[in-house]
Amino acid sequence: MASNILHFHSQENQEIIVVVVPFPAQGHLNQLLQLCKLIASHNIQVHYVTTMTHTNQAKSRVHDPYSFINNNNIHFHELSTPFFNSPPPNPNSTIKFPSHLQPSFESSSHLRKPLSKLLTVLSSKAKRIVIIHDSLMGYVVQDFVYLPNAEAYAFHSVSAFTLFLFIWENMGRPFDIDANFLKDVPSLEDCFSPEFEKFIKLQHDYMKFNSGRIYNTCRVIEGPFLDLLSKEQISNNKKQWALGPFNPVLVQQYGTKSCHKQHECLIWLDEHEPNSVVFVSFGTTTSFSDEQIKEIAIGLERSEVKFVWVLRDADKGNVFAKDHQSRKIELPKGFEERVKDKGIVLRDWAPQLEILAHSSVGGFMSHCGWNSCMESISMGVPIAAWPMHSDQPRNTVLVTKILKVGLVVKEWTRRHEVVTRGMVQAAVEKLMASKEGEEMRNRAMDLSGALKNSVAESGIKNMELDSFISHITRQT
Ligand SMILES: *[C@@H]1O[C@H](CO)[C@@H](O)[C@H](O)[C@H]1NC(C)=O
């Protein structure tokens, strides 16, 4: 941390300093790290600030890591916080919210003091400091209000659709909206643990200090919901910017760069036909029971569709902590041998964005975390949605009913049931080998094309980013 501050006077454009404070869970860490690069590309100093373990986690998993590590405008900080418990996930839990991460979430509150110190130092060196923090880190950043030249913006890591509904319902539905948007929207029951609901409420008490909101979405996919969010009752006339997609939309295959070893699954994908492989991955907060894993395996095998399956337990709070009784996830006897020409099972971290960008991949079976939805839509890949918790059930409605770029594997009303092999097989077959699946793929490709246009010089995403940059670098 000290060296970052010492080096900092040698950089250009030090009038404005941006400080980014992510929430310590993978989907959140990644989205805000990607945003750092977008802001840094405008030659603005960006400081990415979280605990040592979470800084390392974000850097080690990001797409194209060297473009971050070697970026002179991005400074990584590793603040110390007390030890926290990092228990394993419970694969048998009926509620899929990752309660085992709660100690890590609670521990992040200890960032308040060291962050406040850092902000004070940076504040004295800059004309203005701009704090962009996850909406779940309001408590941690609160002391910025004592600095004369600081302002803060809340980043919401969920879709505009989900966020709008959340705020609108909390306000008691203050105005009418198109009834079509409400069809099929499930309640929030079982989406969060009670402890996490408390945590969210605490963070929201600090929202009043913010100057505006930032979203990882784009007008071309969520225009109507961005309009609803900008209604005065919801926005309080504060500014908002849809700066997504944060992830790159034009992904170069690493293999073409000699310095980087291509992941084994990308080499495997090279051997297959366009749109012939389904990518199966449920993010970093899902742990399945042994029974559920068996049903997925047999369903995939019976579909006879080729697959890349990322089979891993949910992250622990500290992903680097040694775990002596780590779970060995068992597959049905002989499964891997039987399917060896059809699919591969990955048990470690997988380069998701590159996999989705690969032309052989034609579908994504996903938990529908927002980071995954944005990556999939950016790459034109339709989704078989199997939501687990948090915003995922509602993202599923957005993806399948509103954008129509996917289908539902498991309805949220059946959340306590095991998904059978037959359901897995039917979903994969429909997504990969039916006329309806083809139509979803075509719509996903159209959205991907629109997103690619949005990042062009005069595109809407680029204009929003320019507008945000002009705002934070304004003279007055
Ligand atoms: C989950 O349930 C299975 C089957 O009942 C059992 O073998 C396993 O030990 C349980 N795992 C945990 C972490 O409770």
Side-chain angles (χ1 to χ4, degrees), residues 23 97 102 105 136 192-201 390:
F23 177 71
F97 185 84
Q102 193 69 24
F105 299 160
L136 297 174
F192 301 101
S193 65
E195 305 80 56
F196 195 69
E197 274 170 7
K198 248 171 53 202
F199 184 89
I200 296 176
K201 279 216 179 74
S390 300

Side-chain angles (χ1 to χ4, degrees), residues 1-5 20 22 29 32-34 36-37 45-52 54-60 62 64-79 118:
M1 170 178 128
S3 68
N4 279 328
I5 296 171
V20 168
L29 290 166
L32 275 181
L33 183 50
Q34 297 283 1
C36 287
K37 191 150 93 178
Q45 286 285 319
V46 190
H47 295 249
Y48 184 81
V49 186
T50 178
T51 68
M52 174 152 63
H54 294 108
T55 293
N56 289 336
Q57 176 182 335
K59 277 200 276 193
S60 67
V62 75
D64 197 5
Y66 294 103
S67 69
F68 291 83
I69 293 161
N70 298 332
N71 189 320
N72 288 331
N73 285 329
I74 303 178
H75 296 254
F76 289 98
H77 294 259
E78 300 170 352
L79 301 185
L118 174 67

Side-chain angles (χ1 to χ4, degrees), residues 368-401:
C368 274
W370 187 237
N371 189 56
S372 287
C373 291
M374 280 303 278
E375 291 186 351
S376 200
I377 294 169
S378 297
M379 298 307 151
V381 176
I383 296 171
W386 180 342
M388 306 290 166
H389 61 82
S390 300
D391 54 328
Q392 299 157 18
R394 288 174 170 197
N395 290 344
T396 296
V397 174
L398 175 68
V399 163
T400 62
K401 302 288 184 350

Side-chain angles (χ1 to χ4, degrees), residues 89-92 290:
N90 175 9
N92 299 338
D290 295 342

